[in-house]
Amino acid sequence: RIVVQRVEEETVTSGGIFLPEAAQEKRQEGTVIAVGHGRALEDGSVIPLQLKGGETVLFGKYAGSEVKLEGETFLVMREDEVLAVIHQA
């Protein structure tokens, strides 16, 4: 499993309109904070995860489970719930 922190939502549109929190849609983009050891197979071998900490990822709307830790919200999800990795040039 991986731990992802969502990218902050924007509170103002490009036209300058303020969006209240109730009208904002949660972003489906985040940064990988932590990565587990991998997936254990029935024969005891482990398949290492491909993602690394610090990568920016896109995920599905209902992916993962929300966890609050020290006042911050994180998502814990399986690696296969990640739709894409964003590489910035």
Side-chain angles (χ1 to χ4, degrees), residues 52-79:
K52 297 172 187 69
E55 291 184 310
T56 302
V57 295
L58 298 177
F59 48 86
K61 191 171 202 169
Y62 302 106
S65 300
E66 279 195 3
V67 177
K68 286 198 176 219
L69 183 63
E70 297 179 8
E72 292 194 54
T73 303
F74 299 96
L75 286 170
V76 178
M77 65 180 72
R78 294 185 321 269
E79 187 179 46

Side-chain angles (χ1 to χ4, degrees), residues 76-88:
V76 178
M77 65 180 72
R78 294 185 321 269
E79 187 179 46
D80 63 355
E81 292 180 286
V82 171
L83 302 175
V85 177
I86 299 173
H87 295 282
Q88 298 185 10

Side-chain angles (χ1 to χ4, degrees), residues 6-7 9 24-29 61 66 73:
R6 282 188 200 266
V7 172
E9 293 97 13
Q24 294 177 8
E25 190 170 315
K26 290 186 177 182
R27 299 208 36 193
Q28 296 170 293
E29 179 181 347
K61 191 171 202 169
E66 279 195 3
T73 303

